C-alpha cells in the first residue's frame, strides 16, 4: 500500500530481466526490499535470492530492512517456513564467499589473507626492487593504480603483458608479475583479486558457474551504473542460467569513471537482455519542485543517459540561493554565517551540508566554521592531517631543527623518519637509527653520499625559511624536494594531493606580513593545533563538510555547493589543454548529484577572486549556474566588501 504504481510494477514482476531506472530520491531501496519480500511470498526460497550492493553500510541497511519485512509478514511465517535467508552483500564480500568455497583451485586455504592498500603498496615496492626499477622514476602508487585499473577491467597479468604498447605498460607488466608472486607467497589476495579471481573461477570452470547460477535464481544489483567490467562479468555469469536479473541504477549518477565504473553497463542492459522490462522511477520523495526543476534542466544536456524527468508531490519550496563573494575567505565566512543563522532558526546542524568539488577547498571552510563557532564535521581527513600537507610541514620542521650546515638535526627525528624517503631515496629505518645514534660514519660510502644530499636539501630549506616569506618557503619545499614532481606524475588521486599541497602555499601566504621565521612558526603552531582537534563522531550534531563524491547516497535539508567557478566545478584537470566530452558529462552528473542531495534548499556559491597555488585568480561563474532557469534562482545580493582586502592590480 505504501508503493506508487511504478514501484508496485517493479516489485510484482517475478521472472525475467528487469531494469529499474531509479532517479535520485525515488525510493529504490524500498523497491528492492519489497521485491525480495514479494518473491518469497510467491514461493521463492529465501536462499535462492541474491542482492548485491556497493558498500558495507548499504548492505547492512538492506539486510536489516529485509529481515524486518520478513519477520513482520504473517503470510510468510504461516504456513510457509523460511529456509535460510537471502544472501545480501557487497561485490567484494560475495567474492570472498565464492573464493573460500573453491580456495584449493587457486592454491589458497579458506583462511587466506586479504591485502589492504598499505600491504599492496609494500608488495609493489618489493616487486620494483626485484625488477631493479628505481622508485624515483616510477611512483609505486601509480604502478599500483594501473594494476588495479587493469584488474577492474578483467585483465590478468598475462593479458596485460600481451597488450602492452609502450615502455610504461611493459614496466608495469614486469612489476605486476613479481607482485603477484609476492602476494601468492603470502597465500593472500588483494582487494581487486577478490573480484578478478571470482570472475576467473566462474568463467573458466563451468561446473562452478553452473552451481552458483543454479543456487541464486533471482539476482539483484544496486547502483548498477557504478559497476566496472569485472563486476559486470560476474553478474552476467551468475544470471546465465535463469536470467532473472534485476538491476537498479541511474546513468545520471555515474560519477566514478576514474575508479573504472562503466556507464555503458546500464546503458546497454537492453542489448544484453532484449526481453528486459524497463521501469522508470521518476517520482522523487526527497526534494522540492524547485530543486528538481533545476536538476532536470542541468542533466538534460547530457547525451549519455536514459531519458527521464523527476517530479514530486512536494511543495514548490524556496528558490535556489546564489551567493557571490570576492574571495574564498569571504565565501567561507558567508557560508558559515548562513549556517549559523539556519541553526539559530531551529534547523538541526546535522541537516546542513557544505559540498565542494575538490578537497583543498575544505581548508578555508574549516577556518571560517571554527572562527564563527559553528559545529562542523569534516567527512574525510582534515586538511592539516592529510599526508601531503604533513610531509611539507615535516620538511620545514626538520630543516629548522638543523641549526647549521655541519650539524645533524637537533631533535625532530620523527620528522626525519617521515620525509627522508618522500620522494623515495633508498634510505631505510636501520640507517635512520644509526644516524640518530651518531653512527653515520659507520655507514657505507654510497649511503653517506645519499645522506649528504638530504642534509644539503634541509640546509637549503632552512635558509629559505629564514630569508623568504612563508608562502615562498612552502613553494620552495614543494619544488626542491620533488614532492610536486612526484604528485604531478601520478593518477587522479595524486592530482588531488597536489592541489592540497599547493593549497598550503595559500595558507602560508596569510603569514607573509610577519618576519619570515616568525611567520613560519605561526603557521606550524596553528597547523599543530588544528591537527590536534578530536575527530567528530559520525552522529554529531554538526554541519557536514564533504566532497560531492562523498555525499552520494546522503540527503540534507539545506545544501551549500561552494566553489561554483569555471574550471573548478566543472573541474579542469591540471596541465590539461581541453576536457573531453565524456569528462564534461561526468562533471554535469556530479553537479546533478550535488543538487539532489537537498530536501528543502540549495545555495550555490562562487568567488570573484580565488587564491590558487599562492596566486590570485579572476574567476568566471560556473556554466552550470547558467544551465538553471533564472526564475528558479534568487536574485543575488551584491558581494560585501572583502574584509582586510588589499588592492589587486591586473595587467591585461
Amino acid at each position: 500500500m505504501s508503493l506508487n504504481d511504478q514501484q508496485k510494477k517493479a516489485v510484482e514482476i517475478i521472472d525475467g530481466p528487469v531494469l529499474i531506472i531509479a532517479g535520485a530520491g525515488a525510493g529504490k531501496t524500498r523497491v528492492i526490499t519489497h521485491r525480495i519480500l514479494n518473491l518469497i511470498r510467491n514461493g521463492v526460497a529465501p536462499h535462492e535470492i541474491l542482492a548485491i550492493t556497493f558498500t558495507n553500510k548499504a548492505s547492512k541497511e538492506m539486510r536489516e530492512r529485509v529481515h524486518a519485512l520478513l519477520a513482520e509478514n504473517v503470510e510468510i511465517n504461516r504456513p510457509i517456513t523460511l529456509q535460510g535467508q537471502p544472501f545480501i552483500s557487497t561485490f567484494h564480500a560475495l567474492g570472498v564467499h565464492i573464493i573460500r568455497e573453491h580456495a584449493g583451485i587457486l592454491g589458497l586455504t579458506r583462511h587466506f589473507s586479504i591485502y589492504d592498500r598499505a600491504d599492496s603498496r609494500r608488495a609493489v615496492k618489493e616487486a620494483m626492487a626485484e625488477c631493479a626499477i628505481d622508485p624515483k622514476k616510477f611512483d609505486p602508487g601509480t604502478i599500483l593504480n594501473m594494476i588495479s585499473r587493469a584488474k577492474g577491467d578483467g585483465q590478468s597479468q598475462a593479458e596485460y603483458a600481451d597488450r602492452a604498447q609502450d615502455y610504461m605498460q611493459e614496466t608495469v607488466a614486469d612489476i605486476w608479475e613479481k607482485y603477484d608472486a609476492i602476494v601468492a607467497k603470502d597465500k593472500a589476495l588483494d582487494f581487486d583479486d577478490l573480484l578478478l579471481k571470482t570472475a576467473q573461477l566462474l568463467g573458466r570452470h563451468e561446473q562452478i558457474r553452473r552451481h552458483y547460477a543454479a543456487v541464486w535464481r533471482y539476482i539483484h544489483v544496486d547502483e548498477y551504473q557504478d559497476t566496472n567490467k569485472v563486476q559486470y562479468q560476474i553478474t552476467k555469469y551468475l544470471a546465465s542460467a535463469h536470467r532473472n536479473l534485476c538491476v537498479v541504477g541511474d546513468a545520471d549518477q555515474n560519477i566514478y569513471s576514474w575508479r573504472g565504473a562503466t556507464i555503458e553497463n546500464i546503458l546497454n542492459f537492453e542489448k544484453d537482455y532484449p526481453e528486459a522490462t524497463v521501469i522508470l522511477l521518476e517520482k522523487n520523495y526527497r526534494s522540492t519542485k524547485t530543486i528538481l526543476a533545476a536538476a532536470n534542466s542541468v542533466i538534460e544536456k547530457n547525451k549519455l543517459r536514459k531519458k527521464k524527468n523527476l517530479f514530486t508531490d512536494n511543495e514548490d519550496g524556496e528558490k535556489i540561493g546564489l551567493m557571490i563573494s570576492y574571495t574564498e575567505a569571504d565565501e567561507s565566512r558567508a557560508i558559515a554565517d548562513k549556517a549559523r543563522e539556519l541553526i539559530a532558526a531551529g534547523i538541526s546542524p546535522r541537516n546542513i551540508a557544505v559540498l565542494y568539488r575538490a578537497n583543498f577547498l575544505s581548508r578555508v571552510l574549516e577556518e571560517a566554521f571554527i572562527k564563527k563557532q559553528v559545529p562542523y564535521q569534516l567527512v574525510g581527513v582534515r586538511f592539516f592531517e592529510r599526508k601531503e600537507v604533513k610531509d611539507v610541514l615535516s620538511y620545514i620542521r626538520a630543516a629548522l631543527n638543523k641549526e647549521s650546515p655541519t650539524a645533524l638535526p637537533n631533535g625532530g627525528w620523527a620528522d626525519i623518519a617521515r620525509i627522508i624517503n618522500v620522494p623515495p631515496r633508498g634510505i631505510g629505518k636501520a640507517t635512520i637509527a644509526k644516524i640518530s645514534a651518531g653512527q653515520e660514519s659507520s655507514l657505507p660510502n654510497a649511503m653517506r653520499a645519499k645522506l649528504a644530499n638530504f642534509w644539503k636539501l634541509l640546509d637549503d630549506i632552512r635558509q629559505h625559511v629564514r630569508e623568504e616569506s612563508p608562502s615562498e618557503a612552502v613553494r620552495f619545499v614543494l619544488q626542491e624536494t620533488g614532492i610536486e614532481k612526484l604528485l604531478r606524475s601520478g593518477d587522479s588521486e595524486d592530482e588531488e594531493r597536489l592541489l592540497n599541497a599547493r593549497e598550503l602555499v595559500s595558507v602560508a601566504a596569510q603569514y607573509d606580513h610577519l618576519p619570515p621565521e616568525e611567520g613560519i612558526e605561526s603557521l606550524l603552531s596553528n597547523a599543530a593545533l588544528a591537527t590536534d582537534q578530536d575527530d567528530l563522531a559520525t552522529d554529531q550534531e554538526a554541519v557536514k563538510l564533504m566532497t560531492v563524491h562523498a555525499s552520494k547516497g546522503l540527503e540534507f535539508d539545506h545544501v551549500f555547493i561552494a566553489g561554483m567557478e569555471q574550471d573548478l566545478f566543472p573541474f579542469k584537470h591540471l596541465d590539461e589543454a581541453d576536457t573531453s566530452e565524456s569528462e564534461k558529462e561526468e562533471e554535469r552528473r556530479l553537479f546533478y548529484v550535488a543538487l539532489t542531495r537537498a530536501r528543502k534548499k540549495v545555495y550555490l556559491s562562487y568567488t570573484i577572486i580565488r587564491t590558487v597555488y599562492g596566486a590570485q585568480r579572476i574567476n568566471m561563474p560556473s556554466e552550470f549556474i547558467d544551465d538553471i532557469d533564472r526564475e528558479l534562482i534568487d536574485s543575488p545580493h551584491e558581494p560585501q566588501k572583502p574584509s582586510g582586502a588589499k588592492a589587486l592590480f591586473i595587467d591585461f
Side-chain angles (χ1 to χ4, degrees):
M1 296 296 292
S2 62
L3 304 177
N4 64 43
D5 290 342
Q6 287 297 96
Q7 289 175 331
K8 286 179 183 178
K9 183 178 178 182
V11 165
E12 291 171 353
I13 294 175
I14 302 296
D15 296 315
V18 181
L19 170 61
I20 302 175
I21 303 296
K28 64 182 178 65
T29 303
R30 173 183 288 271
V31 168
I32 295 173
T33 54
H34 279 77
R35 179 179 162 82
I36 291 173
L37 170 65
N38 190 59
L39 287 172
I40 297 173
R41 290 179 61 183
N42 280 273
V44 177
H47 67 268
E48 294 180 320
I49 300 172
L50 171 67
I52 311 172
T53 66
F54 267 79
T55 67
N56 291 326
K57 178 183 177 184
S59 65
K60 181 176 181 291
E61 178 187 351
M62 186 177 292
R63 198 178 301 116
E64 290 173 349
R65 290 173 70 169
V66 167
H67 290 178
L69 285 173
L70 297 179
E72 67 188 24
N73 196 282
V74 178
E75 293 180 47
I76 291 176
N77 291 308
R78 286 182 290 182
I80 300 174
T81 302
L82 286 178
Q83 295 180 355
Q85 294 283 355
F87 194 104
I88 302 173
S89 78
T90 64
F91 268 106
H92 287 87
L94 173 66
V96 171
H97 173 79
I98 292 175
I99 291 170
R100 278 183 177 158
E101 292 193 341
H102 305 280
I105 296 175
L106 299 173
L108 301 168
T109 68
R110 283 187 59 86
H111 306 291
F112 63 88
S113 299
I114 300 173
Y115 271 20
D116 62 16
R117 182 76 178 182
D119 294 327
S120 294
R121 192 179 180 92
R122 171 188 56 76
V124 165
K125 289 180 179 178
E126 188 177 334
M128 292 176 70
E130 290 185 18
C131 294
I133 294 173
D134 188 352
K136 293 180 182 178
K137 294 182 179 179
F138 296 94
D139 175 49
T142 300
I143 300 293
L144 181 58
N145 286 332
M146 291 179 71
I147 294 173
S148 176
R149 182 62 180 267
K151 288 182 177 181
D153 287 341
Q155 294 185 54
S156 66
Q157 186 277 335
E159 291 168 335
Y160 185 87
D162 287 342
R163 300 173 186 174
Q165 297 179 345
D166 54 35
Y167 178 68
M168 181 66 179
Q169 291 180 356
E170 290 171 355
T171 302
V172 171
D174 292 340
I175 296 171
W176 187 350
E177 183 177 17
K178 299 292 185 184
Y179 171 79
D180 274 356
I182 293 167
V183 176
K185 185 179 178 181
D186 281 351
K187 300 291 183 183
L189 297 176
D190 65 21
F191 264 69
D192 300 299
D193 288 331
L194 298 179
L195 301 180
L196 181 60
K197 298 297 184 184
T198 299
Q200 290 173 348
L201 279 172
L202 296 172
R204 297 173 182 176
H205 301 273
E206 183 180 359
Q207 187 176 356
I208 295 175
R209 179 173 66 252
R210 292 176 65 180
H211 167 73
Y212 288 107
V215 167
W216 291 311
R217 292 172 52 214
Y218 294 87
I219 301 169
H220 305 76
V221 181
D222 193 13
E223 302 287 6
Y224 193 66
Q225 79 279 349
D226 291 333
T227 53
N228 61 21
K229 291 181 180 178
V230 74
Q231 290 163 332
Y232 164 85
Q233 197 60 60
I234 291 171
T235 303
K236 194 170 183 179
Y237 285 142
L238 294 176
S240 59
H242 301 287
R243 297 176 72 83
N244 295 326
L245 173 62
C246 174
V247 301
V248 186
D250 181 8
D252 292 338
Q253 297 187 67
N254 170 265
I255 59 174
Y256 293 113
S257 65
W258 49 278
R259 289 183 184 172
T262 306
I263 194 172
E264 285 79 8
N265 289 351
I266 193 167
L267 295 178
N268 293 335
F269 186 82
E270 292 164 87
K271 293 181 181 179
D272 293 333
Y273 302 91
E275 74 275 30
T277 301
V278 181
I279 299 171
L280 284 178
L281 300 184
E282 298 175 290
K283 184 173 182 178
N284 177 284
Y285 292 90
R286 176 188 301 159
S287 307
T288 64
K289 290 177 181 175
T290 296
I291 293 171
L292 292 187
N296 287 330
S297 65
V298 168
I299 202 61
E300 68 182 8
K301 285 195 169 186
N302 275 8
K303 297 177 181 178
L304 288 174
R305 63 188 298 259
K306 295 279 188 180
K307 188 175 181 180
K308 68 177 188 307
N309 195 63
L310 294 181
F311 68 92
T312 185
D313 291 338
N314 294 338
E315 61 184 6
D316 290 341
E318 298 182 50
K319 288 186 176 183
I320 290 173
L322 184 59
M323 304 170 68
I324 307 173
S325 304
Y326 278 107
T327 68
E328 68 270 22
D330 299 322
E331 175 187 55
S332 298
R333 281 192 293 269
I335 291 174
D337 282 337
K338 187 63 181 177
R340 187 170 60 177
E341 178 185 317
L342 292 171
I343 294 169
I347 305 298
S348 169
R350 69 166 67 188
N351 285 326
I352 304 171
V354 183
L355 311 183
Y356 35 84
R357 174 62 180 86
N359 248 320
F360 76 89
L361 295 178
S362 68
R363 190 269 309 171
V364 69
L365 285 165
E366 281 190 89
E367 289 185 356
F369 274 71
I370 291 171
K371 288 178 181 177
K372 298 291 184 178
Q373 297 183 323
V374 179
Y376 77 95
Q377 177 186 5
L378 186 67
V379 178
V381 182
R382 288 190 295 271
F383 180 78
F384 288 112
E385 289 183 337
R386 295 183 174 113
K387 179 185 182 302
E388 56 276 12
V389 174
K390 293 174 77 172
D391 287 344
V392 173
L393 296 178
S394 287
Y395 264 108
I396 295 174
R397 281 193 296 264
L400 290 175
N401 280 320
K402 197 172 184 300
E403 296 180 349
S404 72
T406 58
L408 289 175
N410 180 23
W413 289 102
D415 288 317
I416 295 292
R418 179 182 183 87
I419 48 91
I420 200 166
N421 272 311
V422 179
R425 296 184 178 87
I427 302 174
K429 294 180 179 178
T431 300
I432 298 172
K434 283 190 175 183
I435 58 177
S436 65
Q439 300 173 6
E440 184 174 349
S441 60
S442 67
L443 296 170
N445 290 337
M447 183 58 68
R448 291 169 65 185
K450 290 181 181 179
L451 287 170
N453 290 333
F454 180 68
W455 300 139
K456 174 66 166 58
L457 174 61
L458 292 186
D459 290 334
D460 292 342
I461 292 172
R462 178 170 52 84
Q463 182 177 348
H464 270 75
V465 165
R466 290 180 171 176
E467 296 177 359
E468 304 291 340
S469 66
S471 63
E472 283 300 319
V474 172
R475 187 181 282 110
F476 179 86
V477 171
L478 279 174
Q479 294 170 349
E480 295 302 312
T481 61
I483 289 176
E484 183 171 47
K485 182 179 179 182
L486 176 68
L487 296 179
R488 268 182 177 274
S489 63
D491 59 358
S492 58
E493 292 182 4
D494 284 332
E495 184 180 55
E496 182 74 29
R497 295 186 184 103
L498 178 56
L499 289 171
N500 289 331
R502 285 180 162 184
E503 177 67 358
L504 189 58
V505 177
S506 300
V507 176
Q510 299 176 15
Y511 304 90
D512 282 355
H513 64 284
L514 298 172
E517 278 200 76
E518 183 181 343
I520 281 291
E521 288 172 357
S522 297
L523 169 64
L524 294 175
S525 296
N526 290 338
L529 289 173
T531 302
D532 289 338
Q533 292 179 20
D534 293 331
D535 286 331
L536 296 168
T538 56
D539 59 349
Q540 178 116 5
E541 280 291 349
V543 177
K544 304 298 185 289
L545 310 183
M546 69 184 83
T547 64
V548 181
H549 282 100
S551 74
K552 191 164 181 286
L554 303 177
E555 56 185 62
F556 307 90
D557 285 345
H558 296 260
V559 171
F560 296 85
I561 308 176
M564 289 296 303
E565 296 134 35
Q566 199 65 18
D567 295 341
L568 186 53
F569 200 3
F571 187 77
K572 183 178 181 181
H573 293 277
L574 297 171
D575 303 324
E576 191 172 273
D578 199 8
T579 304
S580 69
E581 193 59 36
S582 63
E583 288 175 326
K584 290 178 181 177
E585 290 213 355
E586 181 151 345
E587 288 296 308
R588 193 172 286 112
R589 291 195 294 268
L590 196 56
F591 183 53
Y592 173 82
V593 167
L595 287 173
T596 54
R597 297 312 92 200
R599 288 187 286 253
K600 296 181 179 179
K601 176 85 174 183
V602 172
Y603 304 85
L604 305 179
S605 174
Y606 71 88
T607 67
I608 298 171
I609 300 167
R610 187 177 296 276
T611 305
V612 179
Y613 194 28
Q616 290 184 323
R617 185 174 73 183
I618 305 297
N619 299 310
M620 291 291 292
S622 169
E623 64 187 71
F624 294 154
I625 297 176
D626 290 332
D627 289 342
I628 300 173
D629 188 333
R630 297 302 297 181
E631 293 183 358
L632 301 175
I633 301 177
D634 266 335
S635 299
H637 297 290
E638 287 297 318
Q640 296 180 354
K641 181 180 178 181
S643 56
K646 298 179 181 178
L648 178 68
F649 296 94
I650 305 170
D651 185 2
F652 291 99

